[in-house]
Amino acid sequence: MVMSQLEFYQAKLNYEMDSWDLFEALNQGQKIVVVDGRSATAYQQEHIPNAMNIPHRGITPESLEHLDPSLLYVTYCDGIGCNASTKTALKMATLGFQVKELIGGLDWWKRDGYQTAGENAQVGTSLDCGCAG
C-alpha cells in the first residue's frame, strides 16, 4: 500500500512536535510529560525545564511502571546528530505509551529562544519563530 502525500504529513504530525508547539502546549496546561532520553550527566548540564530524565539505555518495563500511560510523552535529546530521542520514543511506544518526538531536540529548543535549566542553563529570549502563522 502506497501512502499519499497527505497521509504522510498527517502521520508525521502524529509522531513529532516542534519546539513552538511544545512550548505552547505546556503553557496552555496540556497534559504532556517532556522526557530527556540522554544520560544523567548531559541532563544535569542542561535540559528543558521540568523535563524528566529517562536515559534510553536504562528503559525497562519496571523503570517506567511509575508513569501514567494515559499521558502524552514528548521525547528529546541533543538534536541533529543524536538519536536518543528516537530510541526513547521507540522503547516507550513499545511499552504502550503515547509518544511524540521533539524535532531538533534541545538544540532547536534553544535556537527558538526558550529557557533551559541545569548547570549551563540559558535564559530564554522569547524569539518569535513564526510557527504560529
Side-chain angles (χ1 to χ4, degrees):
M1 175 182 207
V2 176
M3 181 183 288
S4 73
Q5 188 174 18
L6 177 61
E7 291 169 324
F8 170 79
Y9 289 123
Q10 288 171 330
K12 188 174 179 181
L13 290 174
N14 284 328
Y15 303 115
E16 58 187 33
M17 174 181 279
D18 68 18
S19 56
W20 185 86
D21 287 332
L22 177 59
F23 184 80
E24 288 297 310
L26 293 171
N27 281 338
Q28 292 171 8
Q30 291 182 26
K31 294 184 178 187
I32 293 177
V33 179
V34 182
V35 177
D36 186 321
R38 303 173 302 149
S39 70
T41 302
Y43 174 84
Q44 189 174 4
Q45 291 295 309
E46 188 174 26
H47 58 271
I48 293 174
N50 301 313
M52 296 178 67
N53 182 223
I54 306 176
H56 70 88
R57 294 180 193 269
I59 293 178
T60 64
E62 295 77 25
S63 70
L64 301 183
E65 65 186 5
H66 67 286
L67 299 179
D68 183 348
S70 71
L71 299 176
L72 172 62
Y73 293 85
V74 177
T75 65
Y76 76 92
C77 58
D78 286 336
I80 297 173
C82 180
N83 65 4
S85 61
T86 304
K87 291 176 181 178
T88 304
L90 174 62
K91 290 177 180 181
M92 291 185 77
T94 299
L95 295 171
F97 291 92
Q98 180 184 199
V99 185
K100 288 189 178 190
E101 188 174 10
L102 180 64
I103 58 173
L106 184 61
D107 180 41
W108 285 6
W109 177 266
K110 294 182 337 184
R111 286 178 192 229
D112 282 345
Y114 301 119
Q115 177 181 351
T116 61
E119 294 172 6
N120 297 328
Q122 296 185 8
V123 176
T125 59
S126 300
L127 297 175
D128 180 7
C129 70
C131 298

